[in-house]
Amino acid sequence: MKSRKKQINKEIIVTVVLYLFYFLWWYYFAYVYGNSSDVEHFKYIFGLPEWFFYSCVVGLVVVNILVFILVRIFFKNVSLEEEDDKL
């Protein structure tokens, strides 16, 4: 029971840190990097504003790769039955 709780807590921490990273990535590129309100000064990548491309397209790809890696490293199958406490 104790090792199962420890594993679940570790997975929660990894998930929250990854979410915070994604939010900060998105916020930085959407509001700090692309803070020009004048559309004439926008740069475009594949027809999308540069700030949008980096915050939404590149950010999604980076976070999906990180999710794949972190799930393979930190997450384990946990039995939901009370008597089976092995990880």
Side-chain angles (χ1 to χ4, degrees):
M1 178 77 164
K2 199 167 198 165
S3 64
R4 182 174 23 186
K5 281 187 176 183
K6 187 176 180 180
Q7 177 64 29
I8 292 170
N9 287 336
K10 182 170 66 169
E11 292 176 7
I12 290 170
I13 291 170
V14 169
T15 303
V16 169
V17 168
L18 187 60
Y19 176 77
L20 288 174
F21 170 77
Y22 184 44
F23 177 76
L24 292 174
W25 173 290
W26 175 84
Y27 187 86
Y28 172 77
F29 281 107
Y31 290 103
V32 177
Y33 183 78
N35 63 0
S36 174
S37 60
D38 189 10
V39 178
E40 294 175 359
H41 294 99
F42 281 176
K43 296 178 185 174
Y44 294 91
I45 300 173
F46 298 121
L48 300 170
E50 187 179 35
W51 63 268
F52 181 84
F53 180 78
Y54 289 132
S55 68
C56 295
V57 178
V58 175
L60 179 66
V61 172
V62 168
V63 169
N64 281 332
I65 292 169
L66 285 175
V67 165
F68 178 78
I69 292 169
L70 293 176
V71 165
R72 304 271 288 172
I73 293 172
F74 291 107
F75 286 57
K76 296 181 182 177
N77 287 332
V78 177
S79 175
L80 298 177
E81 296 181 22
E82 287 294 325
E83 62 270 3
D84 188 15
D85 193 31
K86 297 177 184 175
L87 291 176

